[in-house]
Amino acid sequence: MSLLSVEQARERILSKLDPVDTETIPLTACVNRVLGVDIVAADDLPLFDNSSMDGFAIQAADTSNAAPVSRVTLRVVADIPAGSTPRISIAPGQAARIMTGAQMPEGADSVIPVEDTDFNNRSPGTPAPKTVSIEKIVKHGDNVRQRGMDVHAGDAVLKKGNILKPQDVGLLAMLGFPEVEVYKRPLIALLSSGDELLEAGAPLESGKIRDSNSYMLASLVESTGAEVLRLGIAKDTRESVQGLIEQAVLLNADMILSSAGVSVGAFDYVKDVVEANGSLNFWRVNMRPGKPVAFGEYKSIPFIGLPGNPVSAFVGFEVFVRDSIGRLRGISDGSRSKVRVRSEEEILSDGRESYLRAIIREEDGQFVATLTGHQGSGNLLSLVQANALLIIPAGVKCVPAGQEIDAWLL
Ligand code: AMP
Ligand code: MG
């Protein structure tokens, strides 16, 4: 039986996942959350015609003959600070002093900046002059920000499924949304498995190692914007594995993520426990590292079992879990962008789709990649030192030096 390709496995997982429910939360808490509705503007932006400069609101036509030798002098009939409502209409021959962001008065169609007048004075508290002289032609609309030039009421400005960026939050505030409907943060239950594992702070014992995966995977889950439910370390027994996973059911997790215990070892019970309490959709993918990855359902909660070796667990997370959590979070377009890099050295592969740790640097406008240290899947430092994963496609056994390949930046 031939193994599933990475793409087939990803498809199988994604096709089984639906976004979680939405909730309405304050605007102050929504950055990085995923929009649960399309946002339609109820107002024009800018809300009203306003000045983009400190200056004088005038009728441009008054300046049609203005020049250094024939200055035009206008009577200043109003003073309009930001935030006020202009009460006077500007007639020919008149001007109103106006501040940046202040509403344009009726009658005026343009603004001449103070620095282009004989009244170049912006010290706080300076009263408006009685008259202002201009020696420059001003065009209709100069230095006026027209109502609706950015957004028209009725425009769809943000789409359901967008991750809210800080600038989106600013726009929502501009449009008067004190709260916003977003997808809930999915709860990802995380367990490690293995009799050899100790908590990071525990004293070392012979034959034991520290559980690094749960810390690394929890950090990865958090980096996606989901919430982590730490279930701890399961012993290599059916009872222990099932006992921990049941906690995820009890606490309504949206996904169960485990590491280790899904290979062919005599004590690898994770897969069995899932099968006995749900179903296994697939096990093992044609990739390296990370071949023994499992996907299924435990009592209808999606389950992804990552390999135990830390680098394999990391790669498995990036290849399968990140976008899966994205789907749960409601992200509409989750696909991660690749960059093209030139390999500095010849890379041999075994024909599986391979994810290799590398350092990428820019050289003559091109990315050049060098593999890091020992590529064995237990060597975490080689991942720590890397800033990219090179992706060697399935079927390729040799990438000659100088050839371009895809990479993910880390
Ligand atoms: P397994 O899939 O259980 O055969 O584990 C494969 C390898 O990963 C073994 O060398 C384990 O000791 C190691 N391993 C398993 N779980 C973890 C973990 N949580 N942290 C670090 N290494 C682990
Ligand atoms: Mg094990």
Side-chain angles (χ1 to χ4, degrees):
M1 197 188 76
S2 71
L3 289 178
L4 285 184
S5 71
V6 167
E7 206 38 55
Q8 287 167 331
R10 277 171 50 89
E11 280 303 311
R12 285 228 202 162
I13 299 175
L14 292 174
S15 70
K16 294 280 184 195
L17 302 177
D18 292 312
V20 299
D21 294 335
T22 62
E23 61 182 344
T24 298
I25 62 169
L27 195 56
T28 48
C30 74
V31 73
N32 275 332
R33 298 290 293 268
V34 180
L35 255 184
V37 285
D38 289 337
I39 298 291
V40 176
D43 299 310
D44 290 331
L45 293 179
L47 293 163
F48 46 84
D49 292 355
N50 69 94
S51 176
S52 66
M53 301 289 268
D54 293 333
F56 292 87
I58 61 171
Q59 296 192 351
D62 278 344
T63 66
S64 54
N65 295 315
V69 289
S70 57
R71 305 166 74 94
V72 173
T73 299
L74 304 175
R75 207 153 59 77
V76 178
V77 296
D79 197 13
I80 313 171
S84 67
T85 304
R87 298 187 192 289
I88 277 181
S89 181
I90 301 304
Q94 297 183 337
R97 185 169 74 161
I98 192 165
M99 299 298 135
T100 304
Q103 187 165 359
M104 288 292 286
E106 289 282 315
D109 56 43
S110 51
V111 169
I112 178 143
V114 280
E115 53 268 41
D116 292 340
T117 71
D118 66 340
F119 185 76
N120 188 5
N121 186 341
R122 277 188 273 201
S123 320
T126 314
K130 294 266 179 297
T131 61
V132 63
S133 291
I134 300 165
E135 53 177 49
K136 236 175 136 170
I137 295 173
V138 176
K139 290 200 303 294
H140 189 100
D142 273 0
N143 303 309
V144 176
R145 303 188 281 216
Q146 304 291 341
R147 171 180 180 161
M149 74 189 293
D150 195 15
V151 172
H152 285 292
D155 284 354
V157 287
L158 294 170
K159 287 249 163 278
K160 177 176 171 168
N162 282 10
I163 299 175
L164 288 169
K165 304 184 292 290
Q167 54 271 42
D168 301 338
V169 180
L171 184 65
L172 286 166
M174 258 188 182
L175 289 170
F177 290 86
E179 27 186 49
V180 57
E181 185 176 342
V182 296
Y183 288 97
K184 290 184 173 171
R185 293 178 69 195
L187 181 63
I188 312 299
L190 188 60
L191 71 143
S192 295
S193 75
D195 283 345
E196 73 276 35
L197 301 178
L198 299 172
E199 289 290 346
L204 279 179
E205 295 168 37
S206 169
K208 311 257 182 200
I209 61 168
R210 300 181 180 111
D211 165 19
S212 57
N213 287 350
S214 75
Y215 295 91
M216 179 181 64
L217 291 170
S219 306
L220 283 165
V221 168
E222 270 160 14
S223 77
T224 69
E227 229 170 295
V228 183
L229 172 62
R230 281 172 151 279
L231 298 177
I233 303 168
K235 291 278 168 207
D236 282 327
T237 65
R238 254 178 247 285
E239 297 69 37
S240 177
V241 170
Q242 180 159 347
L244 277 197
I245 295 185
E246 279 297 325
Q247 291 295 309
V249 179
L250 212 65
L251 293 165
N252 266 321
D254 297 295
M255 176 181 278
I256 300 162
L257 189 59
S258 73
S259 73
V262 287
S263 325
V264 285
F267 302 96
D268 289 345
Y269 288 118
V270 175
K271 203 159 86 299
D272 289 4
V273 167
V274 170
E275 239 175 340
N277 295 276
S279 60
L280 211 58
N281 185 304
F282 66 76
W283 173 53
R284 297 205 289 199
V285 174
N286 189 30
M287 67 186 291
R288 178 184 73 131
K291 178 172 155 189
V293 60
F295 171 61
E297 278 184 2
Y298 184 98
K299 297 190 176 170
S300 74
I301 301 176
F303 162 87
I304 299 179
L306 297 172
N309 279 308
V311 176
S312 311
F314 181 93
V315 168
F317 186 95
E318 291 299 333
V319 172
F320 300 111
V321 184
R322 186 175 288 283
D323 287 350
S324 299
I325 293 179
R327 178 65 58 92
L328 296 177
R329 291 179 73 209
I331 296 174
S332 50
D333 175 26
S335 66
R336 177 174 190 166
S337 48
K338 292 173 180 156
V339 295
R340 295 290 282 173
V341 305
R342 194 158 49 76
S343 174
E344 198 165 48
E345 63 215 290
E346 179 183 77
I347 300 174
L348 299 179
S349 188
D350 68 358
R352 286 184 277 170
E353 182 161 322
S354 299
Y355 292 80
L356 305 181
R357 288 141 267 167
I359 294 174
I360 285 180
R361 62 182 193 284
E362 217 175 327
E363 218 174 79
D364 305 326
Q366 239 193 351
F367 285 130
V368 179
T370 317
L371 297 184
T372 58
H374 300 283
Q375 295 277 321
S377 54
N379 301 327
L380 199 53
L381 184 64
S382 62
L383 177 59
V384 167
Q385 291 167 338
N387 61 6
L389 289 176
L390 305 188
I391 306 170
I392 316 296
V396 172
K397 296 212 160 159
C398 175
V399 177
Q403 184 159 315
E404 279 203 349
I405 44 177
D406 285 335
W408 277 338
L409 300 180
L410 297 178

